[in-house]
Amino acid sequence: MEKMPLMKSVVYESLRIEPPVASQYGRAKKHIVIESHDALFEIKEGELLYGFQPFATKDPKIFDRAEEFVPDRFIGDSEVKLLKHVLWSNGPETENPSANNKQCAGKDFVVLVSRLLLVELFLRYDSFEIEVGQSPLGAAITLTSLKRASF
């Protein structure tokens, strides 16, 4: 699977465009300053913070065509440059979970299972058709046609 950069990029792009956990909350443990592209925000110890992941993962100042699914967005040099801005697991995708950063301990497992699902889908089927819609939890995808692999 490591020799399949497009498949890996598609998984990261899926997590970027539709983060599995869109909202996150927390209290500031200490006085901090958070920096955006054009402002600084002073956060005092004990204040409640709310993060809406799609605001970060669809930031047009970071991602060209931010609202569009671009399958090869994370291939080559773009992977290193952009992957640090995929914030779906309570931290950047480039960091590893630890006791200090509260990042999702299962984030690497989610990426692995997503990649395995894509590989299995393309091994079993030559073609498929889908309908994409909306649901209260995000995108709704319905498989409408499957053609078994011919080999």
Side-chain angles (χ1 to χ4, degrees), residues 41-95:
F41 301 92
E42 187 176 349
I43 310 296
K44 295 183 174 95
E45 182 179 343
E47 288 185 329
L48 184 64
L49 300 168
Y50 170 73
F52 186 62
Q53 298 299 82
F55 279 165
T57 60
K58 294 180 183 177
D59 184 346
K61 291 183 179 179
I62 303 288
F63 299 102
D64 291 333
R65 302 180 346 226
E67 294 290 332
E68 186 180 326
F69 185 89
V70 180
D72 60 351
R73 187 182 303 272
F74 296 98
I75 291 181
D77 294 337
S78 296
E79 178 181 4
V80 176
K81 180 181 158 200
L82 296 176
L83 208 50
K84 65 184 176 188
H85 298 287
V86 177
L87 306 167
W88 67 276
S89 63
N90 204 28
E93 175 58 29
T94 53
E95 290 183 9

Side-chain angles (χ1 to χ4, degrees), residues 16-34:
R16 180 197 72 82
I17 204 112
E18 193 78 40
V21 179
S23 298
Q24 296 181 351
Y25 304 86
R27 289 214 179 265
K29 293 182 180 181
K30 62 182 181 179
H31 182 87
I32 57 174
V33 175
I34 296 176

Side-chain angles (χ1 to χ4, degrees), residues 4-18 69-75 79 83 86 111 114-115 117-119 121-122 128:
M4 302 173 79
L6 181 58
M7 181 265 302
K8 187 177 179 182
S9 178
V10 164
V11 168
Y12 286 136
E13 180 70 350
S14 298
L15 293 168
R16 180 197 72 82
I17 204 112
E18 193 78 40
F69 185 89
V70 180
D72 60 351
R73 187 182 303 272
F74 296 98
I75 291 181
E79 178 181 4
L83 208 50
V86 177
V111 173
S114 299
R115 291 170 69 185
L117 177 67
L118 277 180
V119 167
L121 185 66
F122 285 102
F128 57 90

